[in-house]
Amino acid sequence: MRTYSIKKHIAKGLLCCATAAALSPLASCKEDIDESNLYTFTGETIEDYLNNRSERFSSFNYILSRIGYDKILSAYGTYTCFAPTNEAVQEYIDSLYDDPINTDLIHNGMTQRGLEGLTDSLCKDIALFHLLNTKVMGINMGNGMTIKTMLGRDINTSTAESGEILISRASTVTSMDNELENGVLHEIDCVIRRSNMLIAGEMENHQELYKIFSQAMKLTGLTDSLSEISRSDFDPVDNRRGFYLPDKCELGYTIFAETDKTLANKGINSIEDLKAYADSVYGECAKPGTGWYDYARNKNIPISTGTDYKNPWNTLSMFVRYHILKCKIPYDKLVNSHNQIAKVTLVEFYETMLPYTLIKITRNSSKLMINRQIANNTLTDMVAELGSAAMHAVLFEGVDLQGQSGQTAAVNGYIHAINAMLAYDKNVPQRALNERMRFDDAGLFGEMMSNSFRRIQDKEVNALNGGKTGTDGDLSGSYIRIPPKFFENLVIYNGDDTRLYYLSGQSSGWSNYQGDEFNCKGNYDFAMRLPPVPDGTYELRVGYTAEGNEQRGMLQFYLGSSSDLNTMQALDIPLDMRHVSENNANLDPDVITGWCDWTKLDDKGIESDANMRNLGYMRGPLYYTVGVNSGNYARNNPKDLRRIIAKQEFKQGEYWVRFKSVLDADHHQFHLDYIEFCPENVYNNTRYVEDMY
């Protein structure tokens, strides 16, 4: 069999990439495709390619024809097809018919061995799992990516040591980048396997890796809890403005799991050993005076070291829950990069299922590390630099992930193998999280990751929306309309008067952290739950970009212990996001924010930074640039601002911030880029200063 290396096709891939950006999750299929809109091509379509090579692809073409997709792939459009050979299809059919695992559905529902024995639903699942409705070239896949298929399920790509592209670690691309009139086709040597198991079942199915962790999941009752796949109980929306509006919300989970080998390296060879380890870590975490798990200590929650494993405050249950995120994230999206500068370290924070706790994921070189600890992180002993190496000693390298090879996909999530013990010990709140924490807007909501919306490409949104873009006054383009109750941690108080949109901005030059932003139109009034932080005094900051008088609006912030309006207290005076001059370039330095061009100052802006803070503002960070590789830092841009909305004590637990328009006009925009929690020992340190990044 011929095998094509990505290295041999690099030149061709680069040529294709001159007009095609690297993709993330791709659009799901619309079932109401108009089959009358067919087109006669002068060259080959995807269907022509398969039909003209029937000696290799007749079986896959038969599956396509069973659900009418032979006609779709003869039509005008832009698709990607992963085409398995006849031998690959036969091998897959045999594996379905002889499957010893699925005892609930004998032969997976097949009526006989062979193509004719496939049910219509199996044909649909197989076909749509091999099709995308945008174009993905080999050069993109070689970098490792997660792609959403027309089935609505993800596939993952990687590169083998030999240079070949692998799809979901098992299918090899044997002929790449066959460009056709309506897309591109990649020949593969194996049907792409998909799991139909829930995440706990998928883990149990890998007993050679996760026998002990799987036992812990069962004992704690979490095996039965991690069962959600999707919901559609959010409020209906008047969508006359034409933006993409999701009709369901996908749900899922991410588990960071120690393999049996990892546990054995720690001397843990049985479930009893793991229970003892959990007792040693969590047994005194809520002890008055010395406990570090602030939420449990403040609430006087009794921690159990007994055999009541389904008690969420049993140490074994706590151990497992800290390994689970209530959203599904593939390996290549755990840490996001876009417009950051080269010298900074990429970091993401996620909330776990252990109540009100966070994990920090850092990209250190090419590795991802959980809860890496650096002395004096986000502090500096230099001006406009990250600081000397002497002050930033590595206290703990972190728990490293095994990479794409350690990823296992389930129907509702991902399992990531880790190479060391993961626990919420005292060093997590006191070291790993004791720094300025920046949360991208999309990272605040698990549904953004589970639905593959975070940093989605514009053309993917357009494909989801049937090729259309929407318009709401001066807001137009590839936005996603977020309906009320779509997010668990966001409450809209006034229905359609609050029109919430998400723009990924991946193909735009917006001056946004990671490129994306939330916008709101109308007389908006909504609240979102803040990420939980350890006990302490913090500055709570909101990052945004100011715009002209006819774009941005003015709003009042409120802070409360729940989404109940009765708990909300107003914070300071309203924020006016419209404060820019007539040429839309320079902010008023005297009255509004105190901003001025720091690059022209001898002290690099130290004094003016202090003046801005006195007015409740900060410049944007040096961390990212306006657009990608522009060389123009956000700190240099007068529109990039941070508003300090609170400086107070926060307890580890529930806090909600409310955003309410104070203008009557319907057309003004609310804008949110990111939020920051900065602890007092960073913004008010007696030895060092907070870095400008």
Side-chain angles (χ1 to χ4, degrees):
M1 180 176 290
R2 293 179 301 162
T3 301
Y4 288 76
S5 168
I6 185 173
K7 297 171 184 175
K8 298 177 184 177
H9 284 66
I10 194 79
K12 180 179 178 182
L14 288 172
L15 179 61
C16 297
C17 276
T19 56
L23 297 178
S24 54
L26 296 181
S28 60
C29 174
K30 291 281 188 181
E31 291 296 332
D32 55 348
I33 295 176
D34 184 3
E35 294 186 13
S36 66
N37 185 26
L38 302 184
Y39 187 88
T40 301
F41 297 102
T42 56
E44 283 188 312
T45 65
I46 291 175
E47 170 58 22
D48 291 334
Y49 187 97
L50 298 171
N51 196 50
N52 292 340
R53 296 158 183 82
S54 59
E55 73 283 359
R56 298 212 307 278
F57 300 111
S58 59
S59 295
F60 185 61
N61 211 18
Y62 168 85
I63 292 171
L64 292 170
S65 67
R66 283 276 298 272
I67 62 168
Y69 264 71
D70 54 339
K71 296 179 181 178
I72 300 299
L73 297 179
S74 297
Y76 179 80
T78 304
Y79 306 98
T80 298
C81 174
F82 296 98
T85 62
N86 292 340
E87 294 82 4
V89 172
Q90 185 59 53
E91 180 184 359
Y92 182 69
I93 288 174
D94 289 342
S95 71
L96 290 178
Y97 194 80
D98 299 328
D99 184 4
I101 297 175
N102 190 2
T103 56
D104 294 330
L105 189 62
I106 304 300
H107 303 311
N108 286 281
M110 291 181 63
T111 57
Q112 65 184 71
R113 188 186 295 275
L115 281 169
E116 291 75 13
L118 292 170
T119 62
D120 289 343
S121 62
L122 276 172
C123 287
K124 179 179 178 181
D125 286 355
I126 295 168
L128 298 188
F129 201 52
H130 289 74
L131 297 175
L132 323 173
N133 60 4
T134 63
K135 191 174 180 180
V136 180
M137 306 303 293
I139 188 66
N140 306 135
M141 296 188 293
N143 294 326
M145 61 187 300
T146 298
I147 310 169
K148 181 158 284 192
T149 66
M150 284 177 132
L151 186 61
R153 298 276 303 277
D154 290 344
I155 58 177
N156 310 100
T157 74
S158 58
T159 303
E161 290 184 5
S162 55
E164 284 72 46
I165 297 293
L166 301 178
I167 310 297
S168 295
R169 293 193 293 171
S171 301
T172 302
V173 177
T174 56
S175 177
M176 186 167 56
D177 293 349
N178 297 286
E179 292 196 74
L180 304 165
E181 292 282 356
N182 59 347
V184 62
L185 181 144
H186 309 287
E187 297 182 10
I188 56 177
D189 67 353
C190 181
V191 170
I192 304 172
R193 302 288 175 139
R194 68 194 184 283
S195 171
N196 288 322
M197 292 184 176
L198 297 177
I199 193 166
E202 189 64 39
M203 174 174 280
E204 187 177 5
N205 194 40
H206 286 76
Q207 289 286 302
E208 76 284 2
L209 292 174
Y210 302 113
K211 182 178 180 180
I212 297 176
F213 200 99
S214 183
Q215 286 178 302
M217 294 269 292
K218 281 186 174 181
L219 281 175
T220 57
L222 288 167
T223 294
D224 300 325
S225 300
L226 308 182
S227 59
E228 291 186 307
I229 298 176
S230 67
R231 62 179 180 83
S232 55
D233 58 346
F234 40 88
D235 290 351
V237 166
D238 176 4
N239 198 31
R240 66 180 183 274
R241 297 172 182 87
F243 294 99
Y244 170 64
L245 180 70
D247 55 10
K248 71 173 182 177
C249 180
E250 293 186 23
L251 304 172
Y253 309 90
T254 301
I255 301 177
F256 303 101
E258 291 92 349
T259 64
D260 288 350
K261 181 179 178 180
T262 297
L263 294 173
N265 290 338
K266 188 68 175 178
I268 299 171
N269 297 296
S270 66
I271 188 65
E272 288 74 21
D273 292 342
L274 185 59
K275 295 174 196 173
Y277 175 82
D279 289 346
S280 70
V281 173
Y282 292 101
E284 296 188 350
C285 67
K287 186 176 180 179
T290 58
W292 60 89
Y293 186 3
D294 301 325
Y295 175 75
R297 187 192 65 245
N298 294 339
K299 297 291 185 181
N300 296 313
I301 295 172
I303 305 300
S304 171
T305 57
T307 58
D308 54 340
Y309 302 120
K310 293 186 179 180
N311 174 358
W313 298 107
N314 178 279
T315 56
L316 184 64
S317 179
M318 295 170 71
F319 173 84
V320 175
R321 288 172 187 272
Y322 190 63
H323 289 66
I324 306 174
L325 312 181
K326 201 175 178 182
C327 57
K328 53 182 179 182
I329 316 177
Y331 180 84
D332 63 303
K333 295 183 181 178
L334 284 168
V335 175
N336 289 275
S337 62
H338 180 64
N339 54 349
Q340 76 287 337
I341 64 174
K343 69 171 70 174
V344 297
T345 301
L346 301 177
V347 178
E348 298 280 354
F349 299 91
Y350 297 105
E351 186 172 357
T352 80
M353 288 184 67
L354 181 63
Y356 304 109
T357 61
L358 297 173
I359 62 170
K360 178 177 72 172
I361 303 183
T362 302
R363 180 177 293 169
N364 180 33
S365 299
S366 60
K367 298 178 66 175
L368 298 187
M369 316 293 291
I370 304 177
N371 292 340
R372 193 165 192 258
Q373 299 161 23
I374 306 293
N376 303 308
N377 209 24
T378 68
L379 287 165
T380 183
D381 57 357
M382 304 169 71
V383 178
E385 291 292 342
L386 289 168
S388 64
M391 66 170 294
H392 288 148
V394 178
L395 305 175
F396 174 55
E397 286 288 353
V399 176
D400 61 312
L401 284 78
Q402 290 185 8
Q404 291 276 13
S405 63
Q407 173 177 278
T408 302
V411 70
N412 67 336
Y414 291 93
I415 305 163
H416 299 290
I418 55 179
N419 291 330
M421 302 302 294
L422 175 63
Y424 189 75
D425 61 25
K426 64 181 179 181
N427 289 325
V428 175
Q430 294 173 11
R431 289 181 175 177
L433 303 179
N434 189 18
E435 61 187 46
R436 178 189 60 232
M437 291 176 279
R438 184 175 295 142
F439 299 82
D440 179 59
D441 51 5
L444 295 168
F445 306 102
E447 295 89 348
M448 291 297 293
M449 279 74 78
S450 293
N451 289 271
S452 301
F453 289 164
R454 187 178 187 182
R455 299 191 59 227
I456 189 172
Q457 296 288 328
D458 287 355
K459 57 185 173 183
E460 300 169 55
V461 179
N462 295 342
L464 285 166
N465 203 27
K468 301 177 294 183
T469 57
T471 302
D472 188 348
D474 61 350
L475 200 71
S476 62
S478 303
Y479 289 79
I480 298 173
R481 174 74 189 273
I482 306 295
K485 298 182 181 177
F486 189 83
F487 294 147
E488 179 183 2
N489 291 330
L490 187 142
V491 173
I492 292 174
Y493 297 113
N494 58 351
D496 201 51
D497 284 340
T498 298
R499 302 188 297 277
L500 182 63
Y501 301 101
Y502 174 72
L503 177 69
S504 75
Q506 301 309 293
S507 56
S508 306
W510 302 116
S511 182
N512 289 328
Y513 175 56
Q514 297 189 6
D516 58 358
E517 64 185 39
F518 277 114
N519 287 92
C520 214
K521 295 297 291 288
N523 293 311
Y524 50 85
D525 189 2
F526 68 99
M528 71 179 189
R529 181 176 170 272
L530 292 172
V533 294
D535 282 9
T537 298
Y538 294 85
E539 283 186 349
L540 174 61
R541 308 162 179 169
V542 173
Y544 71 100
T545 56
E547 287 292 353
N549 288 340
E550 293 306 310
Q551 274 190 272
R552 297 289 192 252
M554 182 185 293
L555 72 150
Q556 178 67 56
F557 296 104
Y558 300 79
L559 187 67
S561 58
S562 74
S563 59
D564 184 344
L565 292 176
N566 293 322
T567 74
M568 298 282 183
Q569 299 294 321
L571 297 173
D572 202 11
I573 63 174
L575 169 64
D576 194 340
M577 293 185 168
R578 303 170 298 171
H579 282 307
V580 294
S581 67
E582 291 182 1
N583 65 8
N584 210 27
N586 296 309
L587 296 166
D588 186 330
D590 300 319
V591 181
I592 308 304
T593 69
W595 191 96
C596 59
D597 188 348
W598 70 281
T599 64
K600 297 178 180 179
L601 303 175
D602 292 338
D603 67 351
K604 297 187 178 180
I606 293 176
E607 183 178 353
S608 62
D609 282 348
N611 293 336
M612 288 186 69
R613 287 181 59 83
N614 290 334
L615 295 170
Y617 289 89
M618 295 177 66
R619 291 180 171 88
L622 280 173
Y623 185 95
Y624 64 91
T625 59
V626 180
V628 179
N629 298 324
S630 69
N632 182 24
Y633 301 112
R635 179 173 167 83
N636 302 3
N637 184 13
K639 296 182 183 181
D640 270 289
L641 293 167
R642 286 174 278 184
R643 173 67 178 266
I644 304 169
I645 66 172
K647 185 185 296 185
Q648 66 174 62
E649 182 183 20
F650 285 85
K651 296 288 188 180
Q652 187 176 26
E654 192 98 352
Y655 289 93
W656 288 69
V657 63
R658 178 188 180 194
F659 310 88
K660 186 179 188 303
S661 175
V662 297
L663 300 177
D664 291 332
D666 180 79
H667 66 274
H668 290 297
Q669 293 180 13
F670 164 82
H671 173 270
L672 176 65
D673 187 8
Y674 57 91
I675 68 165
E676 290 179 352
F677 271 102
C678 187
E680 185 177 27
N681 69 296
V682 172
Y683 72 77
N684 195 28
N685 195 279
T686 58
R687 182 177 181 184
Y688 303 116
V689 294
E690 181 182 353
D691 66 43
M692 295 178 180
Y693 292 81

